[in-house]
Amino acid sequence: MRVIDHFIGGSSYASGERQGEVFDPSLGKVQAQVRFGTSADLERAVAAAREALPGWMATNPQRRARVMFKFKELVEKNMDDLAHLLASEHGKVVADARGDVQRGLEVIEFSCGIPHALKGEYTIGAGPGIDVYSMRQPLGIVAGITPFNFPAMIPMWMFGPAIACGNAFILKPSERDPSVPVRLAELMKEAGLPDGILQVIHGDKEMVDAIIDHPEIHALSFVGSSDIAQYIYSRGNANGKRVQAFGGAKNHGIVMPDADLDQVVNDLAGAAFGSAGERCMALPVVVPVGEKTANDLREKLIPAIEALRVGVSTDPDAHYGPVVNAAHRARIESYIQMCADEGGELVIDGRGFKLQGHEEGFFIGPTFFDHVKPTFRSYQEEIFGPVLQMVRAETFEEAVRLPSDHQYGNGVAIFTRNGHAAREFAARVNVGMVGINVPIPVPVAYHTFGGWKRSGFGDIDQHGPEGVRFWTKNKKVTQRWPDGSVTGENAFVIPTMG
């Protein structure tokens, strides 16, 4: 059986007696084993980073950008292989896997402009003969812990800006689909990145804790569940690290009475069920405003959901594939039962879905609930599967309040033709990312990504200008060049209130 090794010091490294299983979700069978590293393996990676770091920090930003340009070229050249490898371990369809890679590449494109993004500020003549300027400098050795649902995009969101800023990066990817992160590190080496600047080390909670506690790792970025995000944020801060930790979500789509319902249905089909709902920016809750809007939307939604095709990841006609493993499928099915028990109307039940020839695959059919109440635990918690819940709102005010009061605040969308309603909603809703007639409002790479409340812990978002801020420290310099006068008229005096 194939064994997935670490990537340390620029080469494959086989270490770790404990191993995890990597499944083929379409077949429901183990296809590989991934080694779980130890604290000694992490120490080896830190040592390699320590050795390589001074030379990389001293490399000028333009030359670092050239490595990013070459890496982008290599990823594009290997796009099909990466997408198929990703789909084989995650289960998402190949077209969706290409999108996973492409959205990561967009942050690499931003990182190609790092010479401009790293420029500091300068004030000439801040005082007599005094200039003040700032410079952004790398933190040193940093790390990222990434989830299973985007094994290409989120690692590139992290290591692209971090490395371009001059840091050495240690990546701990999800043990469920670890092959693509290793392949990305190999392509970075091929692009000219020095050995030790990007390394991949596998593991579970033992490795996560080792990274959090290591004194030479100065910053940590995490994406995963909210409970783990809060744990990593608290423990990392206690260890003096800079931490950004992004958690779960329960994104709402508000549908106003004047919305184009055909567009809404089309958008919901992709946003709620694409990638089997395994996205932190999925749209699993739809909130029609008014009884007529709800009834009209439901009438259009049911045939659209029933027409969705579930298939293996390589099926070009499939709208989505299996979920990642049997445990996650069981978790999703338990939430379906929970919502039904709580009083939700189970309009379409996707449990028990079997695909001919792939009966052992981890499939779930699309599921749709109506008349879900905000008091339901199944509404309050993240399901992370192909399940859409309809929560009916009587008024616009109630529709604004639902996502604002929810424990998660990642993304939200409003569908309307009314510019005033859209503007009012965007200004008032207590959520970090807002879409107006856009169902999955992930900002483009030169803006920043991040949710509020229990969707995000930390003060700085991912990628874009915020990413540069996170992976650097700002040094301020006040300089003066005396003219040699011995009379003292140009002596430096601390300004005082007078």
Side-chain angles (χ1 to χ4, degrees), residues 195-213:
D195 294 345
I197 297 300
L198 175 59
Q199 302 176 92
V200 181
I201 188 163
H202 307 292
D204 52 11
K205 184 179 184 298
E206 180 181 326
M207 180 54 64
V208 170
D209 286 344
I211 290 171
I212 298 172
D213 294 338

Side-chain angles (χ1 to χ4, degrees), residues 27-254:
L27 296 174
K29 296 179 180 179
V30 177
Q31 61 165 309
Q33 299 283 341
V34 57
R35 299 186 190 276
F36 286 176
T38 65
S39 57
D41 299 322
L42 178 62
E43 199 61 54
R44 183 185 184 95
V46 169
R50 187 191 309 125
E51 181 179 352
L53 189 58
W56 184 243
M57 291 175 68
T59 301
N60 71 58
Q62 190 170 4
R63 291 185 181 275
R64 295 202 296 260
R66 288 171 186 163
V67 174
M68 293 294 161
F69 274 112
K70 183 62 178 178
F71 175 68
K72 174 181 178 293
E73 177 188 325
L74 289 171
V75 171
E76 290 170 339
K77 181 180 178 181
N78 289 273
M79 176 68 80
D80 284 346
D81 289 344
L82 287 167
H84 279 84
L85 180 60
L86 192 159
S88 73
E89 293 184 353
H90 177 279
K92 65 177 69 177
V93 296
V94 171
D96 200 6
R98 286 195 185 95
D100 188 330
V101 179
Q102 181 59 43
R103 290 308 298 265
L105 267 187
E106 290 168 7
V107 173
I108 299 300
E109 288 174 337
F110 172 83
S111 301
C112 290
I114 202 65
H116 175 74
L118 276 178
K119 290 191 300 186
E121 300 170 318
Y122 198 102
T123 298
I124 188 169
I130 297 171
D131 305 325
V132 178
Y133 65 93
S134 65
M135 62 178 82
R136 290 212 160 267
Q137 296 184 319
L139 301 174
I141 302 173
V142 299
I145 299 170
T146 55
F148 77 88
N149 59 323
F150 284 97
M153 181 185 79
I154 295 179
M156 283 192 273
W157 278 12
M158 294 180 186
F159 73 63
I163 290 171
C165 287
N167 298 288
F169 194 94
I170 296 173
L171 172 64
K172 206 287 304 174
S174 171
E175 63 275 19
R176 297 180 185 178
D177 46 10
S179 292
V180 166
V182 173
R183 185 70 186 117
L184 293 175
E186 292 171 346
L187 291 175
M188 263 292 196
K189 175 184 171 72
E190 190 177 339
L193 190 71
D195 294 345
I197 297 300
L198 175 59
Q199 302 176 92
V200 181
I201 188 163
H202 307 292
D204 52 11
K205 184 179 184 298
E206 180 181 326
M207 180 54 64
V208 170
D209 286 344
I211 290 171
I212 298 172
D213 294 338
H214 200 289
E216 291 185 71
I217 295 176
H218 300 293
L220 175 59
S221 183
F222 169 81
V223 176
S225 71
S226 289
D227 288 344
I228 298 176
Q230 187 169 13
Y231 166 79
I232 288 175
Y233 182 72
S234 300
R235 185 162 171 169
N237 277 328
N239 287 331
K241 290 182 181 8
R242 180 179 294 181
V243 183
Q244 56 178 194
F246 297 95
K250 194 79 171 188
N251 305 323
H252 294 56
I254 313 303

Side-chain angles (χ1 to χ4, degrees), residues 452-463:
W452 292 356
K453 296 176 283 188
R454 282 182 55 77
S455 292
F457 300 86
D459 299 324
I460 305 180
D461 289 344
Q462 287 199 80
H463 66 65

Side-chain angles (χ1 to χ4, degrees), residues 344-363:
E345 180 190 355
L346 183 52
V347 182
I348 301 172
D349 188 352
R351 290 174 296 179
F353 182 92
K354 297 290 183 183
L355 190 65
Q356 186 175 1
H358 296 81
E359 287 79 7
E360 300 304 314
F362 307 133
F363 295 97

Side-chain angles (χ1 to χ4, degrees), residues 242-289:
R242 180 179 294 181
V243 183
Q244 56 178 194
F246 297 95
K250 194 79 171 188
N251 305 323
H252 294 56
I254 313 303
V255 183
M256 298 298 291
D258 65 337
D260 181 337
L261 294 187
D262 291 328
Q263 176 208 333
V264 171
V265 169
N266 185 61
D267 287 349
L268 282 175
F273 301 106
S275 196
E278 295 172 318
R279 295 171 174 156
C280 69
M281 289 302 289
L283 208 162
V285 179
V286 62
V287 183
V289 178

